[in-house]
Each structure stands twice: as structure tokens, then as C-alpha cells.
């Protein structure tokens, strides 16, 4: 099953699907702000652990979660390594390559570790949101927050088309692999072919999707999951819900720890 | 004289739900994909548009609800000529529902009921009306049990049905299907055709137009057949008359339906008229019993 379907599957069938989207957005964004503000490695670890646990508990398989987490790690690690050589004055490790003396600094390493933790914590907050909230609900809430219609519609299109692109890439790559496209020597050529084929086919797919939407008078509205609730009483909206109180309490604790920590 | 003409016009409008007059279209302004297509669809008819790949079938279908604008020619839907402003297009898209060849292009929402509700929600209907329409559409196609299923978990046949339900929720009176059975196994194909048939039985006024290169399907299923070749409709009429015309079939890179081919053979061998041309294998067996094994 493709990544797209796995993710969409999680968003509609997780244990937190019935919690109001606004609450989830508030919780995720507020926690993210605390993660950006704090300097405490412990607090970052606490947020990362809690957010990951909630997301996995809600129904996301650990394997998928870790797989997704490794994607940003591949971008982060090289930049953090570079940072370790650039900042600070106290060397931890020195070595030389082709006559060049290189030294890894303690300050650089510490800064790198903090940066990495902060990034991963931020990502865990966003993963919590995107894995527990269906796209239609997210768009609905964006509209309620008075986001311009063009932004909401573009978000939906981008969301859909990213997956179209991924699916096209997967199928083209399979076709190339089947004909030994990535043997040593012809990798670059195969990659260029893959990219050009992907572009053309994705455009075609996007056009088909656009036509299909237009044929059904699409005017920027995605039906909400609430439509699926058969019993109207289940659809009641409470301003204060137990889950919201829990989220506020958690964030309040983090805030106190973050502010307290920075004062100390 | 004038009054007589008006009466004739009204009668024609009532009979022909869709009338395409001299339609020309080109994607790149170099090569014509449609070359003066004239076509009529009657109320309540099941029509098959048959042609080989690249004959221009899909392009023609896309014109019927204004997804493409013709370079020349007119399209009349239930008595009104199609115009291309937003309001008129919304109206025509409510009347003409298109089901695309690949249901994966059409199904955009993760859950079945959400996707079926897409059209009604965008028409600005109230929540109650949307729910009612979704219920009715799923019921018409007999897929109420799929209502809460995830769309990507469905089989191809089920996806096709969901795509049709999504279009039916707009309550069109003309249903246009592009290659309805492509990518389906024989059982799913038959199931889908039965569903379309029962849909036609439920709605007397609904016309169905299916584009296909499957002559067997066109012959068995349709009331009328039109053959398309290189952007032109070369012949239309009763399935027997159209698909039995060897010259047309050959020049259009199609094959004569097997039942019809055998019947033609019997016609040549039998001393007297073997009776009505059979539509199905069962009917063919009856003809053989009556004429050859008597």
C-alpha cells in the first residue's frame, strides 16, 4: 500500500479522530511554540516522547512512524555535522584529511544536538496533527479561522498532488528497475528519465483529476467526516471538552517548565 | 406552417436529450480530433459509442458537459444550447454526469460517503439534503454497505460503482460512462452492467451513453450503437444494423461481435430467414436449434 493510502487510512481511523480539529491544531501549534522557545534538552525530549506516544497510541504503526521520522533525519544529520566543525573552541575530536586539520568542537556538538532535538520535536508535533486529522477537517477548520479561500483550496490541491507525484515516481521507478535501469553506469541517465516521465505523467494525472472535480461542480468544498455520523446527537459540539482540558493542562505544565527553566 | 414547425421542434427536443451538431475540436490547433460530429441521444435510451483507441470518443464525451469547449459546432442538452459561462456550466453538469475511465482519478475523498457527497456539497445543498442524496445514490447502485469504507481499500469494480454513485448524487438525467468495463474482471463487468441496467429501469427518463471499444458489450447491452472513426461518427442505429456492417466494422479497426458473426453464417446457410438476430449466446443457441438442428 502506498504512503498516501497509509497516511489517509490513519487520519480517518485513529482513536483521536473525533476530537475537534481546532483543539488538535491548538494543542499541536502551542506545543510547537514551546519547543521552539525552550533551551532545555530534557523538555524537548519530554515533548518528543509524549507526542510520539500519543500519535502511536492513536493507531499509527510504530514501523511507519519511525520510517517517516527518518526522512527529516536524513536532512538534519549532515547539517548538524557541519555545525560541529564550525562552532566553539574546545575540540573533542581532531583528525586530518589530505593535509587538512579538522576538529569537532564541544560547543558545536551541543548546539547541533539541541537543534536536532528541537527539529525532531517540532516534527513530532506536526506529525501528531497530520496523522490524527483528516484533510477535509483540516480544511474546514482553516476556513473557520478565516484563512483565504485560495490558500485552503491550494492546500488541498498540493496535498492531493504530492501523492500523485509520489505514486507516479513509484510506478516509473518500478518499470525502470524491471529493466535494470539503475545498474551502475546508467543511474544518472535513468534518474533524468524518471524525472521527465514523472513530470509529464503527473501533469496528465493532475489534468484528469481537475476534469473529474470540475465535472462534479467542485467549488473548493470538501465534504466533512461529520456527514458520516448517522446519529445527530453524536454530533453535538461542546466548547470545553475533557480532551481539551487535558491538552491545556499539558501545555500549561510545559510552559511553566520552559519559563522556569529559562529563568534558572 | 410555423405552428407545425414549432410542434415539431418541441417534439424533437423532448425526444433528443442531447443533440450535437457539426462539432469540431482540436487540442493543438493542428490536427482535428473531432471532425464535424453529429449525434443524437434519445430520452431513456442506452447508447454505445464504439470506436478503436484514439477515435475521439473521450474527447466527444468531455464536450457533453462542457469540460472542453468546441472550436466549432453546437451542443443542445434537453432543448438548451450549451453556453460556457459558470452558471450555465453548473446547470449542465447537474444534468449530464460523467464517469471517467479511471475511478482513481475521480475518487478524491478518503471515505466512500465523503466522495459521493462531494458533488452535492459543492452545489451548496444543506447537510440534510446532502445526506439524503448520498443515501439515495448508494441505494440506487446497491452499495450501501460500502458507505463507511476507505476508498483505497475497494476493488476496481467497487471503485467504479462508487464513482458512478458520486455522479448519481448530482441527480443527472444523462449518464455518460467512459470505458465502463475497462480494467474489470468478467464478473465485475457483468455486475456493473446489471447495475446500470437496473438504474435505467428505475429511472425511465435517464439516458445512458457508454463509450467503449468492446463491441461484444455494445452489441449485447445497448439499444443504439454509434461507430466512431478518426473523429467522425460513421454509422449509427440499431446494434444489429451497425455492428453487422462488415465494411464499417473493418474500416473502423473493430471486430464483429461473435454472436452476430455466427448468426450471419447461419443466415447464409439457412434456406429461409432465420428470424430476429440474437443478442446473447442463449438467443443464438435458439436460432441454431430452430434453423440447423431441426
Amino acid at each position: 500500500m502506498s504512503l498516501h493510502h497509509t497516511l489517509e487510512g490513519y487520519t480517518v481511523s485513529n482513536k483521536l479522530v473525533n476530537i475537534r480539529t481546532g483543539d488538535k491544531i491548538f494543542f499541536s501549534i502551542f506545543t510547537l511554540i514551546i519547543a521552539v522557545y525552550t533551551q532545555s534538552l530534557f523538555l524537548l525530549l519530554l515533548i518528543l516522547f509524549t507526542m510520539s506516544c500519543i500519535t502511536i497510541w492513536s493507531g499509527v504503526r510504530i514501523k511507519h512512524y519511525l520510517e517517516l521520522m527518518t526522512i527529516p533525519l536524513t536532512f538534519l544529520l549532515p547539517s548538524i555535522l557541519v555545525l560541529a566543525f564550525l562552532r566553539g573552541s574546545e575540540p573533542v575530536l581532531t583528525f586530518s584529511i589530505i593535509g587538512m586539520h579538522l576538529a569537532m568542537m564541544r560547543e558545536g556538538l551541543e548546539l547541533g544536538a539541541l537543534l536536532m532535538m528541537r527539529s525532531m520535536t517540532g516534527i513530532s508535533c506536526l506529525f501528531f496533527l497530520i496523522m490524527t486529522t483528516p484533510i477535509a477537517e483540516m480544511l474546514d477548520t482553516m476556513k473557520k479561522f478565516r484563512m483565504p479561500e485560495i490558500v485552503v483550496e491550494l492546500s488541498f490541491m498540493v496535498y492531493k498532488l504530492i501523492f500523485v507525484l509520489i505514486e507516479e515516481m513509484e510506478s516509473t521507478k518500478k518499470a525502470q528497475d524491471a529493466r535494470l535501469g539503475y545498474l551502475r553506469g546508467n543511474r544518472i541517465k535513468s534518474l533524468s528519465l524518471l524525472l521527465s516521465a514523472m513530470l509529464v505523467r503527473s501533469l496528465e494525472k493532475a489534468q484528469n483529476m481537475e476534469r473529474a472535480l470540475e465535472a462534479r461542480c467542485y467549488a473548493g468544498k470538501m465534504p466533512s467526516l461529520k456527514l458520516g455520523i448517522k446519529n445527530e446527537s453524536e454530533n453535538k459540539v461542546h466548547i470545553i471538552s475533557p480532551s481539551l482540558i487535558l491538552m491545556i493542562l499539558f501545555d500549561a505544565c510545559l510552559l511553566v517548565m520552559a519559563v522556569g527553566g529559562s529563568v534558572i | 406552417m410555423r405552428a407545425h414547425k414549432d410542434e415539431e421542434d418541441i417534439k424533437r427536443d423532448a425526444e433528443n436529450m442531447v443533440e450535437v451538431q457539426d462539432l469540431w475540436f482540436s487540442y493543438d490547433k493542428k490536427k482535428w480530433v473531432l471532425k464535424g460530429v453529429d449525434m443524437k441521444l434519445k430520452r431513456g435510451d442506452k447508447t454505445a459509442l464504439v470506436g478503436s483507441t484514439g477515435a475521439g470518443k473521450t474527447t466527444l464525451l468531455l464536450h457533453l458537459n462542457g469540460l472542453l469547449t468546441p472550436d466549432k459546432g453546437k451542443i443542445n442538452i434537453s432543448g438548451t444550447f450549451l453556453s460556457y459561462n459558470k452558471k450555465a456550466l453548473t446547470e449542465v453538469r447537474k444534468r449530464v454526469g460523467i464517469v471517467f475511465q479511471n475511478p482513481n482519478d475521480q475518487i478524491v475523498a478518503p471515505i466512500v460517503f465523503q466522495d459521493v457527497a462531494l458533488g452535492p456539497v459543492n452545489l451548496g445543498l444543506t447537510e440534510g439534503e446532502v445526506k439524503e442524496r448520498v443515501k439515495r445514490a448508494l441505494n440506487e447502485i446497491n452499495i450501501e454497505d460500502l458507505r463507511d469504507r476507505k476508498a483505497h481499500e475497494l476493488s476496481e469494480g467497487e471503485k467504479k460503482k462508487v464513482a458512478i454513485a458520486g455522479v448519481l448524487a448530482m441527480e443527472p438525467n444523462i449518464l455518460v460512462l467512459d470505458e465502463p468495463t475497462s480494467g474489470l474482471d468478467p464478473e465485475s463487468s457483468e455486475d456493473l452492467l446489471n447495475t446500470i441496467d437496473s438504474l435505467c429501469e428505475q429511472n425511465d427518463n435517464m439516458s445512458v451513453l457508454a463509450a467503449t471499444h468492446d463491441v461484444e458489450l455494445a452489441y449485447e447491452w445497448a439499444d443504439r450503437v454509434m461507430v466512431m472513426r478518426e473523429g467522425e461518427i460513421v454509422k449509427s442505429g440499431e446494434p444489429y444494423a451497425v455492428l453487422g456492417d462488415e465494411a464499417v466494422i473493418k474500416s473502423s479497426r473493430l471486430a464483429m461481435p461473435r454472436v452476430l458473426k455466427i448468426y450471419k453464417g447461419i443466415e447464409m446457410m439457412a434456406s429461409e430467414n432465420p428470424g430476429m438476430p440474437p443478442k446473447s449466446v442463449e438467443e443464438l443457441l435458439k436460432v441454431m436449434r430452430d434453423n440447423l438442428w431441426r
Side-chain angles (χ1 to χ4, degrees), chain A residues 1 4-6 8-13 134-137 156 160 205 208-230 232 235, chain B residues 27 62 65-68 90 93-94 96 98 100 102 105-111 113-119 121-124 127 130-131 147-148 150 152-153 166-167 170:
Chain A
M1 202 186 289
H4 168 206
H5 292 145
T6 313
E8 256 188 3
Y10 286 141
T11 60
V12 293
S13 62
I135 184 72
E137 311 305 301
F156 170 63
K160 270 283 160 199
K205 276 229 164 198
N208 288 345
M209 195 177 104
E210 188 198 330
R211 277 189 185 145
L213 282 169
E214 232 182 287
R216 288 201 281 165
C217 302
Y218 178 69
K221 290 180 199 159
M222 268 301 277
S224 151
L225 263 187
K226 281 178 214 143
L227 275 172
I229 297 170
K230 286 172 190 160
E232 288 293 331
N235 207 358
Chain B
Y27 284 102
L62 292 176
N65 76 350
L67 287 170
L68 291 178
T90 306
R93 282 167 192 167
K94 279 198 267 181
V96 184
I98 291 193
F100 290 82
N102 185 354
D105 291 335
Q106 194 164 337
I107 299 173
V108 287
I111 302 283
F113 73 78
Q114 262 183 307
D115 195 78
V116 178
L118 185 101
V121 163
N122 281 287
L123 288 176
E127 204 175 303
V130 172
K131 280 186 179 178
R147 184 183 178 277
D148 297 311
K150 290 173 197 159
H152 66 264
E153 287 177 357
V167 169
M170 312 270 293

Side-chain angles (χ1 to χ4, degrees), chain A residues 3 53 77 83 87 91 102 114 125 143 184 193 208 224 245 252 257:
Chain A
L3 175 71
C53 282
L77 278 176
L83 206 67
R87 290 284 294 262
L102 294 170
L114 185 72
C125 292
K143 273 185 200 159
R184 196 183 295 189
L193 280 173
N208 288 345
S224 151
I245 295 172
M257 284 161 86

